[in-house]
Structures are given as structure tokens and as C-alpha cells.
Amino acid sequence: MYFAALLARTDEGWEASDTELDNVETLADLTDVAREASVDDDTVLICIEQEGAWFGVVRVDGEDDPRIFVSGAAAAARSAYGEILLTDEMLGREPRAVDDLDSLTDLDGTEDGEPEPDGDVPVSGAETVPEGPVGDAELLADLGMGAEDVVLLSADEAMAQIAEALGCTDVLEAVR
């Protein structure tokens, strides 16, 4: 089970809302959701957690590129929402060429129409996904939570501890 919350900083403090991710397919889509919630291009955080497995934080400040932290890259890579956060750059991989026609498969999911072999097929690039945390652990440093604290957050308590550091526990709990 997933939970996603959007925290937008305003002049009065933080506003929280639960975020529906059904129409979000890319990091650009997620960034657009954050920018739409922004008040005067101020900071917006999108926090995503998968019940005890991993959590991720995306920080968007105005038109700057999003800053991302994911607590468990390997667990997130097995999740549709996690895959959105795990960029090639963050994982130290070469970007996949979208226009490489040789890598495309037929509509039935197999190459050249051949049947897929029995058993599990490794996900492309899965061997390059580390088990532990990846991304910008400093993304909350100016908000009261240093990199050491972010890296040590557990998936079960991350959102509550981030909200506590931001001083918006009640606001987050209201949407939980």
C-alpha cells in the first residue's frame, strides 16, 4: 500500500494534501503536480511511502530541477511509483536511448515474435540499482533535517519525522 502527501510551504506555514498518483507516469508529471501546488514558487515536497519498504522525497523549488531522495533504491525499483523517482542520473547509468529501434519489442512483449522463456526475466538495468539510499540526502538540510538524519530515517516513520522537523505534524496527520 502506498501513501503520498504533498507539503507546500506558504507564508503561514506548511499546507498538506494527500496526492493521487494514478495519472503520474514520469518525474516530469510529478514535478508538474508539485509546481501546481506551489505558492509563489516556494518549496513543495512530495513524500511517497510504500508500507515499510521504502520512502521517497521529491523537493521542487520554483523552476529549479527537482531534488530527489529514495531510502531503498532496490525496493523502489520494484514499484511503479519508485521507478518514477529513480532517474538514470541518480543511479549512475547511461540514459536509455528512446529511439533505439533495435531494442524495441513486438506488441506481444517479445522480440521478433518469439515466445518469452519461462521464469523471471531480469528488469533491464536492475543490476545497477543499489539496495540502500540514493539521491540528494541534503534536500531537507535548510529545513531542519541534515543528510545524516535523512539517510537514517526508517520507511515506517519517515513522513512523521520529516513533518516533525518541518513543524507540520498536525497538518500532515490531518490528511493521513
Side-chain angles (χ1 to χ4, degrees):
M1 185 162 130
Y2 293 94
F3 176 71
L6 187 139
L7 298 169
R9 186 163 53 182
T10 68
D11 291 337
E12 291 81 37
W14 291 90
E15 292 180 3
S17 60
D18 58 341
T19 303
E20 185 59 50
L21 300 178
D22 288 345
N23 296 325
V24 173
E25 295 179 6
T26 66
L27 180 58
D29 294 342
L30 192 61
T31 302
D32 289 343
V33 167
R35 288 191 176 121
E36 288 170 10
S38 177
V39 177
D40 297 327
D41 288 336
D42 214 336
T43 301
V44 176
L45 302 174
I46 296 180
C47 303
I48 303 170
E49 68 180 17
Q50 182 183 6
E51 206 171 285
W54 65 274
F55 74 90
V57 179
V58 177
R59 177 179 177 158
V60 177
D61 294 297
E63 292 299 317
D64 293 346
D65 288 339
R67 296 169 64 188
I68 307 162
F69 177 81
V70 176
S71 68
R78 293 184 293 273
S79 156
Y81 297 130
E83 282 184 337
I84 292 170
L85 305 180
L86 297 172
T87 64
D88 288 332
E89 180 183 341
M90 183 187 315
L91 296 174
R93 301 188 295 213
E94 288 295 317
R96 288 172 259 170
V98 179
D99 58 356
D100 183 3
L101 295 178
D102 293 334
S103 69
L104 296 179
T105 58
D106 288 342
L107 293 177
D108 66 355
T110 60
E111 217 169 308
D112 298 323
E114 307 230 350
E116 207 168 310
D118 289 338
D120 294 334
V121 178
V123 177
S124 174
E127 66 278 356
T128 62
V129 178
E131 279 295 316
V134 295
D136 184 357
E138 292 283 337
L139 81 166
L140 302 174
D142 63 322
L143 300 174
M145 184 171 273
E148 317 79 44
D149 298 323
V150 170
V151 170
L152 294 175
L153 290 172
S154 74
D156 292 327
E157 298 293 322
M159 279 200 207
Q161 291 175 340
I162 290 169
E164 185 177 321
L166 299 176
C168 65
T169 301
D170 293 339
V171 173
L172 178 63
E173 287 304 314
V175 299
R176 205 176 248 288

